[in-house]
């Protein structure tokens, strides 16, 4: 789900940049294109997190949970709106809740932290030196 979220955010950022560059009204070209570039960069975070989760790397869960929590904030604002904002807010809320539930599910935790791998008190994995 994190990869899907990253793709959606990145595509929206590309859309903002292209719209700013091809618009006939260049009133705020620089800030719109810059905003689109920032959105593209924000979309990279869940892409990298999703890739890490597919490789069973633990660090990928935190940014994925962060992005799903941001989906809930977006959903809250959209649900307070009118018109097309309400159904989009429902989709964002469903996506955020589903992502958080799946990421924090015990089976996900078990896959990322296998039981046979004991943790030592210093935060290092047993058998590793340094």
């Amino acid at each position: 789900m994190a990869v899907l979220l990253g793709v959606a955010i990145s595509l929206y950022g590309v859309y903002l940049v292209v719209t700013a560059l091809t618009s006939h009204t260049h009133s705020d070209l620089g800030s719109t294109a810059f905003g689109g570039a920032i959105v593209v960069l924000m979309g990279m975070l869940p892409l990298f997190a999703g890739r890490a989760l597919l490789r069973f790397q633990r660090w990928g869960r935190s940014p994925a949970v962060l992005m799903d929590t941001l989906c809930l904030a977006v959903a809250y604002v959209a649900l307070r709106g009118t018109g097309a904002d309400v159904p989009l807010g429902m989709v964002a809320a469903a996506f955020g809740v589903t992502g958080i539930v799946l990421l924090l599910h015990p089976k996900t935790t078990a896959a990322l932290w296998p039981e046979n791998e004991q943790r030592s008190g210093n935060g290092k994995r047993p058998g590793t030196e340094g």
Side-chain angles (χ1 to χ4, degrees):
M1 300 231 350
V3 174
L4 180 63
L5 181 62
V7 169
I9 293 171
S10 295
L11 287 177
Y12 181 65
V14 169
Y15 167 76
L16 288 176
V17 170
V18 170
T19 301
L21 295 176
T22 60
S23 175
H24 295 292
T25 60
H26 295 291
S27 61
D28 214 8
L29 174 65
S31 63
T32 306
F34 179 73
I38 295 296
V39 171
V40 169
L41 290 175
M42 281 181 53
M44 301 290 281
L45 177 66
L47 283 174
F48 287 129
R51 183 173 181 235
L53 288 170
L54 290 173
R55 293 178 171 195
F56 296 100
Q57 295 176 337
R58 298 175 194 166
W59 68 266
R61 185 160 81 165
S62 294
V65 170
L66 172 72
M67 293 307 289
D68 288 331
T69 304
L70 289 175
C71 279
L72 295 178
V74 169
Y76 175 76
V77 171
L79 288 172
R80 293 178 53 107
T82 58
D85 289 345
V86 175
L88 291 175
M90 289 179 188
V91 169
F95 197 88
V97 169
T98 303
I100 291 172
V101 168
L102 291 175
L103 286 166
L104 299 179
H105 193 275
K107 288 186 179 183
T108 305
T109 302
L112 294 174
W113 282 276
E115 285 186 33
N116 60 358
E117 184 180 312
Q118 298 294 323
R119 291 189 196 197
S120 62
N122 60 6
K124 296 180 182 176
R125 293 183 189 173
T128 60
E129 296 186 30

